[in-house]
């Protein structure tokens, strides 16, 4: 089964960019704009200050720099291995084989992340659920026991 980048991404032009990311500010700050949302729910972001490109994994809450510039990112998009790994092609194919078809404005995500037993679902609010969960996990990591 062959896929194009258009198959592996979703159009987010109907969304307000700041509202798409506002619940992730605790992790990414406010200097990023989305440049691509993949069908599996992760987001490629560009740093407005230096042009570098990052990948926000909405399932794990990981945020990693993947390219120094938009031009470097475009070059990576010609690398089959990069696309296969970062666009989660195996997972995408599994969802397609399971009969999941995305409607406009949907991504495939989890009500609960896989590490908590979550399963693939078609959903519009995957980012809202996962970013709130990851924020709670991040707060828990910094929590300390105190006497009262």
């Amino acid at each position: 089964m062959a896929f194009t980048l258009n198959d592996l991404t979703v159009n987010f032009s109907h969304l307000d960019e700041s509202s798409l990311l506002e619940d992730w500010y605790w992790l990414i700050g406010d200097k990023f704009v989305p440049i691509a949302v993949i069908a599996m729910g992760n987001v490629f972001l560009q740093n407005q200050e230096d042009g570098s490109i990052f990948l926000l994994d909405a399932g794990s809450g990981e945020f990693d720099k993947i390219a120094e510039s938009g031009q470097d990112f475009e070059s990576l998009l010609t690398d089959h291995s990069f696309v296969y790994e970062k666009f989660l092609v195996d997972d995408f194919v599994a969802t397609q084989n399971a009969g999941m078809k995305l409607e406009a404005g949907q991504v495939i995500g989890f009500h609960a992340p896989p590490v908590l037993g979550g399963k693939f679902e078609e959903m519009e609010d995957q980012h809202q659920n996962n970013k709130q969960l990851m924020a709670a996990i991040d707060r828990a990591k910094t929590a300390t026991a105190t006497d009262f």
Side-chain angles (χ1 to χ4, degrees):
M1 192 179 284
F3 297 102
T4 67
L5 286 177
N6 285 337
D7 296 322
L8 299 171
T9 58
V10 295
N11 183 336
F12 63 94
S13 62
H14 63 287
L15 299 174
D16 173 46
E17 290 179 1
S18 62
S19 68
L20 179 67
L21 300 175
E22 68 186 348
D23 286 334
W24 286 105
Y25 288 164
W26 64 272
L27 176 65
I28 69 171
D30 62 356
K31 296 180 177 28
F32 291 88
V33 293
I35 58 172
V37 176
I38 70 167
M40 300 306 297
N42 296 341
V43 184
F44 289 99
L45 302 163
Q46 186 165 35
N47 184 314
Q48 293 178 307
E49 292 181 346
D50 65 9
S52 58
I53 308 297
F54 287 70
L55 176 60
L56 172 62
D57 184 321
S60 69
E62 294 177 9
F63 184 58
D64 299 308
K65 186 176 192 176
I66 58 165
E68 293 297 326
S69 67
Q71 185 175 5
D72 289 347
F73 179 63
E74 287 179 21
S75 179
L76 287 171
L77 294 177
T78 65
D79 179 339
H80 177 76
S81 296
F82 173 83
V83 171
Y84 196 83
E85 176 187 345
K86 300 301 183 187
F87 285 73
L88 305 175
V89 173
D90 277 341
D91 293 335
F92 180 76
V93 169
T95 63
Q96 297 303 293
N97 289 341
M100 288 186 191
K101 304 295 181 215
L102 295 176
E103 300 289 328
Q106 287 185 321
V107 296
I108 296 169
F110 308 93
H111 281 289
V115 296
L116 299 177
K119 304 227 182 310
F120 290 120
E121 299 182 43
E122 301 150 344
M123 50 194 305
E124 296 175 28
D125 62 349
Q126 181 254 351
H127 278 274
Q128 184 68 28
N129 291 339
N130 284 354
K131 60 192 168 189
Q132 290 174 354
L133 177 61
M134 291 303 145
I137 290 170
D138 188 62
R139 286 190 302 275
K141 285 181 190 174
T142 60
T144 59
T146 57
D147 295 325
F148 56 93

